[in-house]
Amino acid sequence: MMTRNFENIPLDDDTQILLSSQMKFGELDCVFQIWTYDAIQGNSLIFYADDLQDKSDEELKTMILTESEIVSNKSQKLTISKNDEEHPFVFVNFDFKTIR
């Protein structure tokens, strides 16, 4: 199976990417990023929206929390961000911490 291309992930002007690595989450291609934004460091898993059509946001959060060790702070909320009109990606953000 061919790996998906994640070259055009949108980036906020004020976000600095510390690490970006393409990986598999189960059968799904995704990108894992560690980033900083406005004195907050966080992590994201970035998927293609069309790979997640059969999953609700809650199902996606549950899948990430239960099927991997990637989230270190499981008591913290995961946030999901998507903008169908601007890009084809779904961002699942987690492990936020203040860095100042």
Side-chain angles (χ1 to χ4, degrees), residues 63-96:
M63 179 181 83
I64 290 169
L65 286 171
T66 60
E67 296 180 19
S68 83
E69 297 299 315
I70 203 159
V71 179
S72 61
N73 186 351
K74 298 210 187 270
S75 64
Q76 199 178 60
K77 280 195 183 288
L78 277 68
T79 65
I80 293 182
S81 170
K82 49 189 157 186
N83 186 335
D84 298 336
E85 294 183 10
E86 290 190 17
H87 58 77
F89 301 105
V90 175
F91 293 77
V92 182
N93 309 301
F94 54 94
D95 288 347
F96 306 105

Side-chain angles (χ1 to χ4, degrees), residues 12-16 35-42 97 99:
D12 189 296
D13 290 341
D14 296 331
T15 301
Q16 180 182 6
W35 47 265
T36 60
Y37 175 82
D38 195 27
I40 295 171
Q41 181 176 318
K97 63 184 176 194
I99 54 175

Side-chain angles (χ1 to χ4, degrees), residues 10-78:
L11 179 64
D12 189 296
D13 290 341
D14 296 331
T15 301
Q16 180 182 6
I17 302 299
L18 304 177
L19 177 137
S20 185
S21 179
Q22 191 157 341
M23 59 179 272
K24 285 274 195 190
F25 191 94
E27 295 295 310
L28 300 172
D29 290 316
C30 68
V31 170
F32 172 70
Q33 288 186 341
I34 301 173
W35 47 265
T36 60
Y37 175 82
D38 195 27
I40 295 171
Q41 181 176 318
N43 299 338
S44 297
L45 283 173
I46 304 163
F47 299 93
Y48 271 94
D50 59 1
D51 289 341
L52 301 173
Q53 287 178 339
D54 62 341
K55 294 201 181 329
S56 70
D57 287 358
E58 289 309 309
E59 288 171 325
L60 179 59
K61 289 178 186 179
T62 299
M63 179 181 83
I64 290 169
L65 286 171
T66 60
E67 296 180 19
S68 83
E69 297 299 315
I70 203 159
V71 179
S72 61
N73 186 351
K74 298 210 187 270
S75 64
Q76 199 178 60
K77 280 195 183 288
L78 277 68

